Amino acid sequence: MPLLHFKNSFINYYRYGNGPKQLVCFHGYAEEAKAFGFLEKYIGGQYTLYSIDLPFHGKTDWKEGLDLSTSDLAHIVEEITNIKSDVLRAPGSRLSLMGFSLGGRMALGLYQSMPARVDQLILLAPDGLKVNFWYWLSTQTRLGNKFFSFTMKRPGWFFRFLKLLNKLRLVNTSIFKFVNFYIGNKEVRELLYARWTTLRKIKPGIKKIKSAILQHGTPVQLIYGKYDRIILSSVGEKFKKGIEDHCSLSVIASGHQVLHERHAEDIKRSLIV
């Protein structure tokens, strides 16, 4: 379990496989970097995978306050991929990016900062292709963030409001259960506030990203779950418009948890090997 010393923090990451190509992986919300470990036996001969625990996730010890910038993320990736491995690589060498759910937003933000270096972009039920109003309100506005903090400390009103929305069918049952799970426990609420606020600066500009995809001819693969009620494939279909020659979308027999060994072959097929 290697650790990278970054500023005052220690970033935990895992390295899987020893292939000549580099694949940097970002996990989903409340998950850990080791979630990508199963891919080693499927693509470890073609790729070296670097999977990183995000701030306030896994074993990363984050000491930079509630703040992670895209340049910080790029610096962390640069340092990790330049650490000596079985394959000698020049600094600034090319890499591929993979992100699941929240990790999709991290991959998109990183791609926007270094599109010329990216061989391909694989997004599994990704966040970041559509602006979530509540996330925007809670993290991108001062008043909204204060209200978010208040709600995480005193969530009673929010539970009642959420139940009303669910009763009126303005929020589907899957979303209701998902949010209820993350609000119902004090420690989980505190982590939700810390995670959302810390990652607020990773906000992909979709127009810029699509322009970069066209300019650099970057292959993009979107994979969605047929039964996913959290992140819908229709968002990916909208993103795909205008970049059809470079972007492929597949819908597999899965719920939101697309990142699972039972879908390893689907993920493998999305990669350039």
Side-chain angles (χ1 to χ4, degrees):
M1 185 183 69
L3 290 171
L4 172 72
H5 187 200
F6 173 74
K7 297 182 179 178
N8 300 305
S9 303
F10 288 93
I11 310 299
N12 181 62
Y13 69 97
Y14 299 87
R15 185 167 69 88
Y16 300 110
N18 59 2
K21 298 180 180 180
Q22 298 183 103
L23 178 63
V24 178
C25 305
F26 298 102
H27 60 78
Y29 181 85
E31 297 195 351
E32 298 183 19
K34 61 185 178 182
F36 289 89
F38 71 89
L39 288 173
E40 181 173 24
K41 67 180 179 181
Y42 295 93
I43 61 172
Q46 295 82 34
Y47 286 89
T48 299
L49 289 76
Y50 298 93
S51 187
I52 302 167
D53 274 333
L54 295 170
F56 299 104
H57 287 82
K59 294 180 173 61
T60 284
D61 185 15
W62 186 251
K63 300 294 186 183
E64 313 311 316
L66 303 181
D67 192 22
L68 174 75
S69 67
T70 303
S71 61
D72 287 336
L73 185 62
H75 182 82
I76 289 167
V77 168
E78 187 73 28
E79 289 292 317
I80 286 174
T81 55
N82 282 336
I83 291 174
K84 185 178 179 181
S85 66
D86 297 335
V87 180
L88 294 177
R89 300 184 179 90
S93 57
R94 297 182 66 81
L95 45 80
S96 296
L97 302 176
M98 179 181 288
F100 165 63
S101 196
L102 168 67
R105 180 156 59 91
M106 302 299 106
L108 284 163
L110 188 60
Y111 173 77
Q112 184 176 338
S113 72
M114 54 171 67
R117 285 188 56 196
V118 177
D119 280 330
Q120 57 186 322
L121 189 58
I122 304 95
L123 303 173
L124 314 175
D127 180 28
L129 294 181
K130 177 182 178 182
V131 176
N132 179 295
F133 172 77
W134 296 109
Y135 180 80
W136 172 84
L137 182 67
S138 300
T139 63
Q140 305 299 320
T141 68
R142 183 175 299 179
L143 182 61
N145 190 250
K146 287 183 178 180
F147 192 56
F148 181 32
S149 177
F150 172 82
T151 300
M152 293 302 97
K153 295 173 183 175
R154 300 177 179 82
W157 77 269
F158 186 73
F159 279 126
R160 294 188 291 273
F161 180 59
L162 191 63
K163 287 178 181 177
L164 176 62
L165 292 179
N166 182 240
K167 187 176 181 179
L168 295 174
R169 297 185 179 181
L170 296 175
V171 170
N172 70 56
T173 301
S174 295
I175 296 290
F176 175 76
K177 290 180 179 178
F178 181 81
V179 175
N180 195 54
F181 173 79
Y182 286 111
I183 301 296
N185 178 281
K186 183 176 184 293
E187 182 180 352
V188 174
R189 288 198 306 272
E190 290 174 349
L191 279 172
L192 174 64
Y193 179 79
R195 290 164 173 168
W196 270 27
T197 304
T198 301
L199 301 177
R200 71 192 183 282
K201 292 183 177 179
I202 314 296
K203 44 184 181 180
I206 299 306
K207 288 184 178 179
K208 290 182 179 179
I209 287 172
K210 292 174 75 169
S211 177
I213 289 169
L214 292 172
Q215 180 183 351
H216 299 281
T218 310
V220 180
Q221 178 67 54
L222 304 171
I223 302 179
Y224 289 89
K226 181 178 181 180
Y227 311 108
D228 190 349
R229 300 296 302 278
I230 306 298
I231 297 181
L232 306 181
S233 61
S234 57
V235 177
E237 292 287 1
K238 183 177 180 181
F239 174 75
K240 185 180 174 182
K241 291 180 179 178
I243 57 170
E244 291 89 350
D245 290 345
H246 307 287
C247 183
S248 299
L249 186 151
S250 57
V251 179
I252 63 176
S254 173
H256 183 59
Q257 191 54 255
V258 173
L259 183 63
H260 192 282
E261 186 162 9
R262 63 177 172 269
H263 306 306
E265 289 300 329
D266 293 298
I267 296 172
K268 181 180 178 179
R269 280 193 293 270
S270 73
L271 286 158
I272 301 170
V273 296

